[in-house]
Amino acid sequence: MDPVCLVMGAGAGIGGSVGKRFAQGGYHAVLCRRSDDQGLQRLVQDIEAEGGAASGFLLNAAEENSIEERIDAVEKEIGPIEVAVFNLGAQIGDRHLADTSYKAFELGWRLATFALFRFASAIMPRMEARGHGTLLVTSPTAAVRGNAGQHSHAAAMGGRRMLCQSLNAEFGPKGIHVANILIDGAVDAPDTLGKLLGPEEFQELRRTRGLENDGLILPERVAETYFHIAGQHRSTWTHELDLRSFSDRPWWNH
Amino acid sequence: MDPVCLVMGAGAGIGGSVGKRFAQGGYHAVLCRRSDDQGLQRLVQDIEAEGGAASGFLLNAAEENSIEERIDAVEKEIGPIEVAVFNLGAQIGDRHLADTSYKAFELGWRLATFALFRFASAIMPRMEARGHGTLLVTSPTAAVRGNAGQHSHAAAMGGRRMLCQSLNAEFGPKGIHVANILIDGAVDAPDTLGKLLGPEEFQELRRTRGLENDGLILPERVAETYFHIAGQHRSTWTHELDLRSFSDRPWWNH
Amino acid sequence: MDPVCLVMGAGAGIGGSVGKRFAQGGYHAVLCRRSDDQGLQRLVQDIEAEGGAASGFLLNAAEENSIEERIDAVEKEIGPIEVAVFNLGAQIGDRHLADTSYKAFELGWRLATFALFRFASAIMPRMEARGHGTLLVTSPTAAVRGNAGQHSHAAAMGGRRMLCQSLNAEFGPKGIHVANILIDGAVDAPDTLGKLLGPEEFQELRRTRGLENDGLILPERVAETYFHIAGQHRSTWTHELDLRSFSDRPWWNH
Amino acid sequence: MDPVCLVMGAGAGIGGSVGKRFAQGGYHAVLCRRSDDQGLQRLVQDIEAEGGAASGFLLNAAEENSIEERIDAVEKEIGPIEVAVFNLGAQIGDRHLADTSYKAFELGWRLATFALFRFASAIMPRMEARGHGTLLVTSPTAAVRGNAGQHSHAAAMGGRRMLCQSLNAEFGPKGIHVANILIDGAVDAPDTLGKLLGPEEFQELRRTRGLENDGLILPERVAETYFHIAGQHRSTWTHELDLRSFSDRPWWNH
């Protein structure tokens, strides 16, 4: 039985590419996303066409028990989750405080922080019982600095980052690798950046900065680093690393 | 009419002392806390006995509209809030992930992160309309690192810290001073540390490390720094600073 | 005998203002700077005209023994140094790597890092013997991030910041307060910013951003915070804080 | 002609292992170290025995022109340096300020900071002319926090880290990948940890924490991550990551 790589947030960007990469590396990729069943099935078929194993599930992470039941079912029906990738985003664009409703603020937390807590609560005990496992978390720049307009996003992602640290502190010594991967730049991803910008602006950005100039982070390249981190020997683990295009300014430079 | 200094979380530690200090500096101190009406009344009387102005209100910050209605009432009945101090704690002691319930995790967020968002949502527009004002936030060490057992606390406080940054980024240029004060050490406070340790262990710690040796952070000394920060000229503002006893190790030293 | 506040780098900006502020607070201000004896004497006279005590010395900090001998002489002839302020700058403007000579790189280190080490080596044993004392260090944004063109400055100031931490770790528990004050914005200072920009551009910046709009950090306001930090009770010490104008973006915001 | 991977500081720990790994990946490994010619020749022979290409040079990095001339010679006689690894250490053990001589402080800077500046000054223009290249720098925990006794080491390594950032800021957009790899834990390395502890204590530590328990960072595992980072596509570069054993506490946890 193949080890399982479960991806929470497996859209057409980083999550889907990470699933593919682990499938190429011999994992059964279990892909979970909120919507677009067609896109999900296409992803599963792509992996299977390459000779890999994959399953896809639609799942609303904000819904009670959705994450927990999926993890239960995967462990029972597919196999032990060896690598768990938490890749849910919660970017809602820049909004003034006055335009950030309580509901939007809470939803940011539900998706970005609380969903990771639920995810970890369901998976870590199983990994602990097995004595090994890997939890890879995707974080945006907002996890390390709060820009104007990012009230909901920054608060939620700052919480996510600290949770990664407390999970690592408890579970690292038990043989479970927790890594926080900071995506510090624009990703060439139709499901997130594409939706934020709209189709025309997105294609223009891809044309000018991205495909010709490597100025957008390419999801399939990100996936290589996720795969490397998951393969690190336990004598030599990375907890946090950043990723951006060569032409992007790191968050700390003006 | 005196300018108002509103303190959310005005117990017998930092919050109460900060209220006192601002009252000494000519502010009407409005003290809000969850419980212990007797202690609250004593605090108000202490301030009045010194010739200062103070009002006290019991308030459950986790309850819907509690914060918002109090701010409305203060602005209408007492006066414009010039300095708003957010000092709610959410420490529940060290707990393994398996012992951290969803409810505990969510309550941490409700008190540490969401309550600050509600507090800011109610106060900032008023300060913005007036073109000035100060928001002082107390944060614990867990805001900058996630230790084992601190899942709820670290996630909530990491969120709080990023929210301070996004608030500062939006409101600084509008003349409102937002500062995050990192309390990186044990505070000589019966309401928090005292309850966490129990009365005997707390008194022993006070005796050995604290009163004789200045090894516990003294709330009335903290209050001096809060008052200084609130008085900084807008050409020269601090957004973040740390505080600890001389004998304590900063969080970054082993 | 008044306690001594020694300022290394007492030009017309932060250093001079800090000296003045401590003189107003009852200290004998000992002002050291590299050049402009006239400016130095004017500063001393200003302080004395206000009823304060001050002495001024020209001193090339890059020169062997210059700092050490001055400290010796001050301790012998004026009195014990209670507060030592290290305020030497080393900004040489933005230069590409190819335009940064070994000499420029080394000089940056000599002034920004090594001079602090020499300063501390001379002062800390005296403070340790007395069981108290304060070392206040000024750092620029380059101490926390390396921008393009800042090779010499960033390397030197990053070293300075870590040295502040190691000094604090050794001497804090011995009762000596070490604080690193991060000046994260442009200062209204003719000796540094003025020279970097040239007189016309500097006056234009002062006019548009500064005096009318509080958009430049005002040295006399900075001095208030230095004085406050030096006065903190040892139960409640700050090791690091940032300062910038309300209208400036903190270094972590884009 | 194979691309060259030049390793400055190629002892029996991380540096040597990194050289080996790049040789396995098709690079000509150029290994530079200060002493132990026998060990160096053994390393070269090990690589050649595996079918790889390697050259070894003794070199005192503190000496004038040593680094610069070696780089010149390598570029002329062996080939263009595609990957440059800067792995010089400067740990001298914990020393009180009073026991840290000016000479020791300066030597720390010469090896840890200035040698990197010289290394980069010699290599970056060549990489810039070619439009590609990778600079990998090893940093210790002291680069991010100054512990008691680490005055020389922390100041020097804090400078190194900021220099990595300023180099990245200037050269990233020109297609040159600069990464700072933070080794946050004890490494199973006889040349550094072994010498610091002495042979008996080192073997005891290896036995109890290391080989049986993966509690020491294994250099050959570190090398895998260096190789991965060097291979990242320029759309997706890491600038900083940490490495430690699963059982070690990260520097930010107490």
Side-chain angles (χ1 to χ4, degrees):
Chain A
M1 194 170 55
D2 294 338
V4 169
C5 170
L6 171 68
V7 182
M8 189 61 49
I14 290 175
S17 296
V18 167
K20 256 191 202 177
R21 182 63 188 84
F22 277 84
Q24 288 162 1
Y27 289 77
H28 186 121
V30 178
L31 309 166
C32 302
R33 62 197 285 177
R34 197 180 47 185
S35 57
D36 185 10
D37 195 40
Q38 244 184 338
L40 180 61
Q41 293 317 321
R42 214 179 312 126
L43 195 54
V44 169
Q45 287 157 17
D46 282 0
I47 290 174
E48 291 175 340
E50 281 186 332
S55 312
F57 301 96
L58 292 187
L59 172 162
N60 180 354
E63 212 170 76
E64 216 177 324
N65 283 323
S66 56
I67 294 174
E68 296 81 348
E69 289 172 0
R70 176 50 50 211
I71 289 170
D72 270 355
V74 168
E75 288 264 338
K76 275 182 202 141
E77 293 159 23
I78 305 184
I81 298 166
E82 184 57 34
V83 177
V85 179
F86 189 82
N87 187 54
L88 291 183
Q91 179 61 280
I92 51 172
D94 282 342
R95 295 188 193 183
H96 287 128
L97 182 65
D99 301 328
T100 310
S101 66
Y102 286 10
K103 208 178 137 187
F105 191 82
E106 176 161 351
L107 186 60
W109 172 78
R110 289 213 171 273
L111 290 172
T113 322
F114 187 50
L116 172 59
F117 179 72
R118 292 164 51 206
F119 190 71
S121 294
I123 283 180
M124 298 316 251
R126 290 178 161 103
M127 290 184 172
E128 186 178 354
R130 294 192 281 259
H132 54 85
T134 300
L135 171 63
L136 302 179
V137 178
T138 305
S139 289
T141 313
V144 286
R145 65 119 172 262
N147 269 345
Q150 292 280 298
H151 306 293
S152 166
H153 196 224
M157 292 299 182
R160 175 184 290 191
R161 182 168 175 258
M162 284 301 107
L163 181 55
C164 288
Q165 290 192 3
S166 63
L167 290 170
N168 175 63
E170 179 172 341
F171 292 99
K174 294 174 175 174
I176 299 160
H177 187 179
V178 179
N180 183 31
I181 302 175
L182 194 71
I183 305 294
D184 182 33
V187 180
D188 184 31
D191 286 2
T192 46
L193 187 62
K195 282 182 184 159
L196 213 63
L197 296 179
E200 279 168 41
E201 203 181 328
F202 179 53
Q203 287 312 329
E204 180 63 15
L205 186 73
R206 292 190 79 197
R207 207 183 51 72
T208 53
R209 262 191 63 193
L211 299 184
E212 290 168 23
N213 298 306
D214 310 330
L216 295 178
I217 297 174
L218 300 179
E220 62 270 26
R221 303 299 186 162
V222 173
E224 291 299 329
T225 291
Y226 279 62
F227 192 72
H228 174 75
I229 297 295
Q232 286 179 321
H233 186 257
R234 71 175 194 166
S235 76
T236 311
W237 277 352
T238 292
H239 176 67
E240 192 165 79
L241 82 168
D242 51 7
L243 287 170
R244 70 186 63 77
S245 162
F246 79 104
S247 59
D248 248 3
R249 238 174 214 160
W251 66 266
W252 57 82
N253 290 129
H254 71 74
Chain B
M1 193 170 53
D2 294 336
V4 169
C5 169
L6 170 67
V7 182
M8 188 61 49
I14 290 175
S17 296
V18 167
K20 256 191 202 177
R21 181 63 188 83
F22 278 84
Q24 287 161 2
Y27 289 78
H28 184 122
V30 178
L31 309 166
C32 303
R33 61 195 287 178
R34 198 180 47 185
S35 57
D36 185 10
D37 195 40
Q38 241 183 339
L40 180 61
Q41 293 317 320
R42 214 178 312 126
L43 196 53
V44 169
Q45 287 158 16
D46 282 0
I47 290 173
E48 291 175 342
E50 281 186 334
S55 312
F57 301 96
L58 292 187
L59 172 164
N60 180 355
E63 213 170 76
E64 216 175 326
N65 283 324
S66 56
I67 294 174
E68 297 81 348
E69 288 173 359
R70 177 51 48 213
I71 289 171
D72 270 355
V74 167
E75 287 266 337
K76 276 182 202 138
E77 294 159 22
I78 305 183
I81 298 165
E82 186 57 33
V83 176
V85 179
F86 189 83
N87 186 53
L88 292 183
Q91 179 61 281
I92 52 172
D94 283 341
R95 295 189 191 180
H96 288 128
L97 182 65
D99 302 328
T100 311
S101 66
Y102 285 10
K103 209 177 138 188
F105 191 83
E106 178 161 349
L107 187 59
W109 172 77
R110 289 215 172 272
L111 290 172
T113 322
F114 187 50
L116 172 58
F117 179 73
R118 292 163 52 206
F119 190 71
S121 294
I123 284 179
M124 298 315 252
R126 290 176 161 104
M127 291 185 173
E128 186 178 351
R130 295 191 280 259
H132 54 85
T134 300
L135 171 62
L136 302 178
V137 178
T138 306
S139 290
T141 313
V144 285
R145 65 118 172 260
N147 268 345
Q150 291 280 299
H151 305 296
S152 166
H153 196 224
M157 291 301 183
R160 176 184 290 190
R161 182 168 176 258
M162 284 301 106
L163 181 55
C164 288
Q165 290 192 3
S166 64
L167 290 170
N168 176 62
E170 180 172 341
F171 293 98
K174 294 174 176 171
I176 300 160
H177 187 180
V178 178
N180 183 32
I181 302 174
L182 194 70
I183 305 294
D184 182 33
V187 179
D188 184 30
D191 286 1
T192 47
L193 187 63
K195 281 182 185 160
L196 214 63
L197 296 178
E200 279 168 43
E201 202 180 330
F202 178 55
Q203 287 312 330
E204 179 63 15
L205 186 74
R206 291 191 80 198
R207 207 183 50 76
T208 55
R209 264 191 62 193
L211 299 184
E212 291 168 25
N213 298 305
D214 309 330
L216 295 178
I217 297 174
L218 300 178
E220 63 271 26
R221 302 299 186 162
V222 174
E224 291 299 330
T225 289
Y226 278 62
F227 192 72
H228 173 75
I229 297 295
Q232 286 178 320
H233 186 258
R234 71 174 194 165
S235 77
T236 311
W237 278 352
T238 293
H239 175 67
E240 192 165 79
L241 82 167
D242 51 7
L243 287 170
R244 69 186 63 77
S245 162
F246 79 105
S247 58
D248 248 4
R249 236 173 215 163
W251 65 267
W252 57 81
N253 290 130
H254 71 74
Chain C
M1 193 170 54
D2 293 337
V4 170
C5 169
L6 171 67
V7 182
M8 188 61 49
I14 290 176
S17 297
V18 167
K20 257 191 201 177
R21 181 63 188 83
F22 278 85
Q24 286 162 3
Y27 288 79
H28 184 121
V30 178
L31 309 166
C32 303
R33 61 196 287 178
R34 197 181 47 185
S35 57
D36 185 10
D37 195 41
Q38 243 184 340
L40 179 61
Q41 294 316 322
R42 214 179 312 125
L43 196 54
V44 168
Q45 287 157 17
D46 281 1
I47 290 173
E48 291 174 342
E50 280 186 335
S55 312
F57 301 96
L58 292 186
L59 172 163
N60 179 356
E63 212 170 76
E64 216 175 325
N65 283 323
S66 56
I67 295 174
E68 297 80 348
E69 288 172 0
R70 178 49 50 212
I71 289 171
D72 270 354
V74 168
E75 287 265 338
K76 276 181 202 141
E77 294 159 22
I78 305 184
I81 299 164
E82 185 57 34
V83 176
V85 178
F86 189 82
N87 186 53
L88 292 183
Q91 179 59 281
I92 52 171
D94 283 341
R95 295 189 191 181
H96 287 129
L97 182 65
D99 302 327
T100 311
S101 67
Y102 285 10
K103 209 178 138 188
F105 191 82
E106 178 161 349
L107 187 59
W109 172 77
R110 289 214 171 274
L111 290 172
T113 322
F114 187 51
L116 172 58
F117 179 74
R118 291 163 52 206
F119 191 71
S121 294
I123 285 179
M124 298 315 252
R126 289 176 162 103
M127 291 185 172
E128 187 178 351
R130 296 191 281 259
H132 53 85
T134 300
L135 171 62
L136 302 178
V137 178
T138 305
S139 290
T141 313
V144 285
R145 66 119 173 259
N147 268 345
Q150 291 280 299
H151 306 295
S152 166
H153 196 224
M157 292 301 184
R160 177 184 289 190
R161 182 168 176 259
M162 284 301 106
L163 181 54
C164 288
Q165 290 192 2
S166 63
L167 289 170
N168 176 63
E170 179 171 341
F171 293 98
K174 294 173 176 172
I176 300 160
H177 186 180
V178 179
N180 183 31
I181 302 175
L182 194 70
I183 304 295
D184 183 34
V187 180
D188 184 30
D191 286 1
T192 47
L193 187 63
K195 282 181 185 161
L196 214 62
L197 296 179
E200 279 169 41
E201 202 182 329
F202 178 54
Q203 287 312 329
E204 178 62 16
L205 186 74
R206 291 192 79 197
R207 205 183 52 75
T208 54
R209 264 190 62 193
L211 299 184
E212 291 170 23
N213 298 305
D214 310 330
L216 295 178
I217 297 175
L218 300 178
E220 62 271 27
R221 302 299 186 162
V222 173
E224 292 299 330
T225 290
Y226 279 62
F227 192 72
H228 173 75
I229 297 295
Q232 286 179 320
H233 186 257
R234 71 175 195 165
S235 77
T236 311
W237 278 352
T238 293
H239 176 67
E240 192 166 79
L241 82 167
D242 52 7
L243 287 170
R244 70 186 64 75
S245 162
F246 80 105
S247 59
D248 247 3
R249 237 174 214 160
W251 65 267
W252 57 82
N253 291 130
H254 70 73
Chain D
M1 194 169 56
D2 294 338
V4 169
C5 170
L6 172 67
V7 183
M8 189 61 49
I14 289 175
S17 296
V18 166
K20 258 191 201 176
R21 182 63 188 86
F22 278 84
Q24 288 162 0
Y27 288 78
H28 185 122
V30 179
L31 309 166
C32 303
R33 61 197 287 177
R34 197 180 47 185
S35 57
D36 185 10
D37 194 41
Q38 244 185 338
L40 180 60
Q41 294 316 321
R42 214 178 312 127
L43 195 54
V44 169
Q45 287 157 17
D46 282 1
I47 290 174
E48 291 176 341
E50 281 186 333
S55 312
F57 301 96
L58 292 187
L59 173 164
N60 180 355
E63 213 169 77
E64 215 176 324
N65 283 323
S66 56
I67 294 174
E68 296 81 347
E69 289 173 359
R70 177 50 50 211
I71 289 171
D72 270 355
V74 168
E75 287 264 338
K76 275 181 201 142
E77 294 159 22
I78 305 183
I81 298 165
E82 186 56 34
V83 177
V85 179
F86 189 83
N87 186 54
L88 292 183
Q91 179 60 280
I92 51 171
D94 283 342
R95 295 188 193 182
H96 287 127
L97 183 65
D99 301 326
T100 310
S101 66
Y102 285 10
K103 208 177 139 189
F105 191 82
E106 177 161 348
L107 186 61
W109 172 78
R110 288 213 172 273
L111 290 172
T113 323
F114 187 50
L116 172 59
F117 179 72
R118 291 164 53 207
F119 190 71
S121 294
I123 284 179
M124 298 314 250
R126 290 177 161 105
M127 291 184 172
E128 186 178 353
R130 295 191 281 260
H132 53 85
T134 301
L135 172 62
L136 302 179
V137 178
T138 306
S139 290
T141 312
V144 286
R145 65 118 173 262
N147 269 345
Q150 291 280 298
H151 306 294
S152 165
H153 197 224
M157 291 300 183
R160 176 184 290 190
R161 182 168 176 257
M162 283 302 107
L163 181 55
C164 288
Q165 290 191 2
S166 63
L167 289 171
N168 176 63
E170 179 172 340
F171 292 98
K174 295 174 174 172
I176 300 160
H177 187 180
V178 179
N180 184 31
I181 302 175
L182 194 71
I183 305 294
D184 182 33
V187 179
D188 183 32
D191 286 2
T192 46
L193 187 62
K195 282 181 185 161
L196 213 63
L197 296 178
E200 278 168 41
E201 202 181 328
F202 178 53
Q203 287 312 329
E204 180 62 15
L205 186 73
R206 291 191 79 198
R207 207 183 51 74
T208 53
R209 263 190 63 193
L211 299 183
E212 291 168 24
N213 299 305
D214 310 329
L216 295 178
I217 297 175
L218 301 179
E220 62 270 26
R221 302 299 187 164
V222 173
E224 291 299 330
T225 290
Y226 278 62
F227 192 72
H228 174 75
I229 297 296
Q232 286 179 321
H233 186 257
R234 72 175 194 166
S235 76
T236 311
W237 277 352
T238 293
H239 176 67
E240 192 165 80
L241 81 168
D242 52 7
L243 287 171
R244 71 187 62 77
S245 162
F246 79 104
S247 59
D248 248 3
R249 237 172 215 164
W251 65 266
W252 57 82
N253 290 130
H254 71 75

